[in-house]
Amino acid sequence: DSGVTQTPKHLITATGQRVTLRCSPRSGDLSVYWYQQSLDQGLQFLIQYYNGEERAKGNILERFSAQQFPDLHSELNLSSLELGDSALYFCASSVDPSSYEQYFGPGTRLTVT
Amino acid sequence: AQTVTQSQPEMSVQEAETVTLSCTYDTSESNYYLFWYKQPPSRQMILVIRQEAYKQQNATENRFSVNFQKAAKSFSLKISDSQLGDTAMYFCAFRANYGGSQGNLIFGKGTKLSVKP
């Protein structure tokens, strides 16, 4: 158990819908990262937050957004869902951006039908 | 932009044998980390080993060791005395140590390793 929790574990929804994925980092970790793992794109970095502020963006679609709240949990919002958004979404956390180790949550499996 | 390439989509090895997984990367950075992550069928991402670019000595963690060739931008993983529990996807990853992309992991496509009894 990495100490990072993600909810829900599985999510099945229809095209055009909107979903919210939630992540609670390890106690004491200020940085949160979101990654997407799909058959087409592999594992790719989406977005990074540090202590409530967006710090870096990767290959995140405009239909996707995220935020980190004062209690440091983070949410990834996916809207106007398409079939190609079906993927495993990981959250990871670290003490800060300079920490070499990121602790991954178990992931949320999103299926868009 | 950094890229990570794993040229072996699948590999297999007999239990107790040794196997080497390949990884090459491209970067103009001088200060970075390299990692190998394991993803078993449970899908959990597990850190296997890390290497700091400024260290010439190759990292070792029990049965896992790396061959880090900085000039060649090569970072291979050697698994000795392979065990059935080593069956998993293995991802090579790069992380810059400063700048706006500090902390973000760039992953290769992965190598699926099967350990056969």
Side-chain angles (χ1 to χ4, degrees), chain A residues 2 33 35 37 40-45 48 55-57 88 90 97-102 104-106 109, chain B residues 33 35 37 39 42-45 47 50 52 91 95-97 99-109:
Chain A
S2 66
Y33 312 80
Y35 296 89
Q37 185 176 24
D40 291 342
Q41 302 294 328
L43 253 172
Q44 59 176 357
F45 164 73
Q48 176 192 159
R55 194 168 182 278
K57 270 187 174 180
L88 186 57
F90 284 107
S98 70
S99 302
Y100 69 83
E101 186 159 3
Q102 293 183 18
F104 280 78
R109 168 73 70 186
Chain B
Y33 281 105
F35 304 87
Y37 278 86
Q39 187 179 42
S42 67
R43 298 292 188 179
Q44 179 69 46
M45 294 292 288
L47 177 63
R50 78 174 190 280
E52 294 91 332
F91 293 96
R95 200 207 84 173
N97 266 4
S101 60
Q102 181 190 42
N104 311 334
L105 291 169
I106 309 299
F107 288 94
K109 293 289 190 187

Side-chain angles (χ1 to χ4, degrees), chain A residues 10-75:
Chain A
H10 302 278
L11 198 48
I12 301 175
T13 190
T15 54
Q17 296 297 306
R18 173 188 170 94
V19 297
T20 297
L21 313 184
R22 183 187 169 100
C23 168
S24 293
R26 288 189 329 151
S27 177
D29 285 359
L30 300 180
S31 287
V32 169
Y33 312 80
W34 286 97
Y35 296 89
Q36 178 196 57
Q37 185 176 24
S38 65
L39 287 175
D40 291 342
Q41 302 294 328
L43 253 172
Q44 59 176 357
F45 164 73
L46 294 179
I47 197 164
Q48 176 192 159
Y49 280 83
Y50 172 59
N51 204 19
E53 299 291 325
E54 180 186 304
R55 194 168 182 278
K57 270 187 174 180
N59 297 324
I60 188 166
L61 299 171
E62 286 192 10
R63 299 183 285 108
F64 296 1
S65 65
Q67 53 184 328
Q68 186 180 26
F69 294 86
D71 68 352
L72 301 177
H73 90 272
S74 178
E75 293 180 356

